[in-house]
Amino acid sequence: MVNFLRKIFIKDYQELDNPSVRNAHGKLASIVGIISNLLLFLGKLIVGFIANSVAIIGDSFNNLSDMASSGINLLGFKIAAKPADKEHPYGHERFEYIAGLIVSVVIIVFGIQVLKDSIEAIINNNKTDIEVITLVILGLAILVKLWQGYFYRKMGKTINSVSLIASSQDSLNDVLSTSVIFISSLVIYFVPNMPFSLDGVFGIAVGLFVLISGIKMIKETSDPLIGINPNHEFIQNVVKDILTYPCVLGIHDMRCHMYGPNKRFMTVHVEVSANENIMEAHDQIDNIERDINQKYGLELTIHMDPIENDNAYVNSLKAEVAELLTPLKLSFHDFRVVIGNTHTNILFDIVLPHETKLTENEILSLLNNKFKDRNFYFIVQFDGEYID
């Protein structure tokens, strides 16, 4: 069904690297959400008033908020598709994350409102009058929301959309909340004269569930705005491809900045032999940047680091440093040795993992103790870990 809709409404639907095709997927998903949620809102609202059920009426307004969220997503995809301009040189794709964040806030507001209405229903001991049509509408709503959740997730995974995946989770939450209401309505249908408002009790459960899910979704949609690691598999594939070039001896200091699902900038230091012709090495670096850009749509900038790989003395010292640092799960790069008249400078960078408990001074003390009998002076640059 999902692929059927894609084929009908999206031209060149398989060209997902094309921003306009990706944008068309987002618009289609949003329009489907607007139409389906509008129908669910009207159906539940009518039977909710007929049954005098605060839980069903509240659930109907949840679908109304979902419809508004789909509208926000539609606006988000439209704005995200705008090209870069003077004020936004990296494009507008991050607005999609903002749209997802707005969806999350709407869900939290709805959860609070359901809690409030449910507590009032319990205090006032509201009575409900469930009929067969109410159960039928709720049952159909569950099926529609199941399909909607699958549809959003499929489309979200297809185009790597945070906001659509957030909407998918919201739809699945609606399945659970509507199922709870359906069960409570079924109980009320067979036991109409209950001594308390079962409708209000189940309404509180629904409100709490929705509130918690909204808080979780805020984290999921705000993380990309704050800054997170890109997909691990994607990074590994880029690293693997760079290392296939004969001139590349190693890479380090890789950093990736994401300005949207398809707007990625990466910088990396590539080690090349110091004995290689600098013009030839630079030409090869240019080739790597161009090839990676064409394959991954990634704006790659490479800093070339010449290293000595045929100096036996330097290599022996490097091996000794590795013998100390490797068991501590510390990696290092840009290893250089400068021999002077009074002492020898050993210069390199150490990458500090986030989970390490060692301080910079403790690491320097370990190095100095290991080489205390030699006239070495360590000049170490400590780098943060930006890529897992």
Side-chain angles (χ1 to χ4, degrees):
M1 182 64 173
V2 177
N3 286 332
F4 176 73
L5 292 173
R6 293 172 64 206
K7 291 178 182 178
I8 291 178
F9 294 105
I10 301 175
K11 183 180 178 180
D12 301 325
Y13 71 97
Q14 292 180 320
E15 298 180 9
L16 298 175
D17 291 333
N18 186 333
S20 63
V21 173
R22 182 182 184 277
N23 188 51
H25 278 78
K27 288 181 178 179
L28 174 62
S30 300
I31 292 170
V32 169
I34 291 172
I35 295 172
S36 58
N37 284 311
L38 176 61
L39 294 174
L40 289 173
F41 165 68
L42 293 175
K44 289 181 183 178
L45 184 66
I46 292 171
V47 297
F49 276 117
I50 292 173
N52 190 33
S53 169
V54 64
I56 296 177
I57 293 174
D59 203 32
S60 74
F61 277 93
N62 182 29
N63 294 133
L64 182 63
S65 69
D66 290 342
M67 186 184 74
S69 298
S70 295
I72 291 170
N73 280 339
L74 183 61
L75 178 63
F77 279 106
K78 183 177 181 179
I79 294 177
K82 290 175 61 178
D85 54 35
K86 185 177 181 179
E87 293 182 349
H88 308 92
Y90 299 105
H92 298 77
E93 287 191 11
R94 277 188 176 176
F95 190 85
E96 187 179 328
Y97 302 138
I98 297 175
L101 187 60
I102 294 173
V103 172
S104 304
V105 173
V106 170
I107 292 170
I108 289 178
V109 171
F110 162 73
I112 294 173
Q113 185 62 44
V114 170
L115 283 174
K116 177 178 175 293
D117 292 343
S118 300
I119 292 172
E120 290 178 354
I122 293 174
I123 294 173
N124 298 325
N125 194 22
N126 288 0
K127 299 298 181 181
T128 52
D129 183 19
I130 303 298
E131 298 182 4
V132 174
I133 187 62
T134 304
L135 299 175
V136 172
I137 294 297
L138 291 176
L140 288 174
I142 292 170
L143 295 177
V144 171
K145 275 295 180 180
L146 277 171
W147 178 83
Q148 195 183 83
Y150 168 76
F151 175 77
Y152 280 145
R153 183 161 292 275
K154 178 75 173 178
M155 294 288 273
K157 292 288 186 181
T158 299
I159 64 174
N160 188 28
S161 169
V162 173
S163 60
L164 285 182
I165 293 175
S167 295
S168 169
Q169 184 60 52
D170 183 35
S171 295
L172 296 179
N173 291 343
D174 291 345
V175 170
L176 293 176
S177 62
T178 304
S179 297
V180 169
I181 295 172
F182 177 80
I183 294 172
S184 68
S185 299
L186 196 63
V187 173
I188 295 171
Y189 178 76
F190 288 105
V191 188
N193 297 317
M194 300 193 71
F196 60 93
S197 176
L198 183 63
D199 181 63
V201 173
F202 277 88
I204 288 178
V206 170
L208 288 173
F209 186 83
V210 172
L211 190 61
I212 292 172
S213 67
I215 293 172
K216 289 181 179 179
M217 287 169 61
I218 277 188
K219 181 182 184 304
E220 293 172 0
T221 54
S222 61
D223 277 350
L225 291 172
I226 298 172
I228 57 175
N229 272 323
N231 180 273
H232 182 73
E233 182 180 356
F234 169 78
I235 293 298
Q236 292 303 310
N237 288 336
V238 173
V239 170
K240 183 179 178 181
D241 282 355
I242 294 176
L243 290 175
T244 60
Y245 290 83
C247 67
V248 178
L249 303 178
I251 63 175
H252 58 267
D253 281 351
M254 176 177 281
R255 301 182 183 184
C256 187
H257 303 275
M258 301 180 67
Y259 292 88
N262 294 313
K263 204 71 163 179
R264 294 168 294 203
F265 295 80
M266 179 179 287
T267 60
V268 62
H269 289 216
V270 168
E271 298 171 354
V272 300
S273 173
N275 298 324
E276 190 165 347
N277 181 284
I278 188 170
M279 297 301 293
E280 293 180 359
H282 187 272
D283 182 62
Q284 294 181 68
I285 293 299
D286 285 344
N287 291 338
I288 297 173
E289 290 177 337
R290 185 186 63 252
D291 294 346
I292 295 297
N293 178 274
Q294 291 177 349
K295 183 173 182 178
Y296 296 99
L298 175 69
E299 295 292 336
L300 177 64
T301 301
I302 295 178
H303 173 80
M304 185 172 64
D305 279 341
I307 62 170
E308 289 185 280
N309 59 340
D310 57 355
N311 187 309
Y313 178 64
V314 172
N315 289 339
S316 66
L317 289 178
K318 187 175 181 180
E320 288 187 72
V321 172
E323 184 181 355
L324 172 66
L325 298 182
T326 301
L328 301 176
K329 297 182 179 180
L330 298 174
S331 61
F332 64 99
H333 53 83
D334 282 347
F335 192 88
R336 289 161 292 156
V337 177
V338 180
I339 300 175
N341 294 327
T342 60
H343 63 277
T344 296
N345 287 334
I346 300 180
L347 308 90
F348 56 92
D349 294 6
I350 293 178
V351 179
L352 285 178
H354 297 296
E355 65 274 10
T356 187
K357 296 182 180 179
L358 291 170
T359 66
E360 296 179 8
N361 288 334
E362 288 173 338
I363 295 171
L364 288 173
S365 295
L366 291 172
L367 288 167
N368 288 322
N369 288 335
K370 180 176 178 63
F371 298 95
K372 61 183 178 180
D373 294 331
R374 285 178 266 185
N375 199 18
F376 290 161
Y377 183 77
F378 288 96
I379 303 175
V380 179
Q381 174 69 41
F382 292 92
D383 299 333
E385 186 178 43
Y386 295 96
I387 301 293
D388 285 337

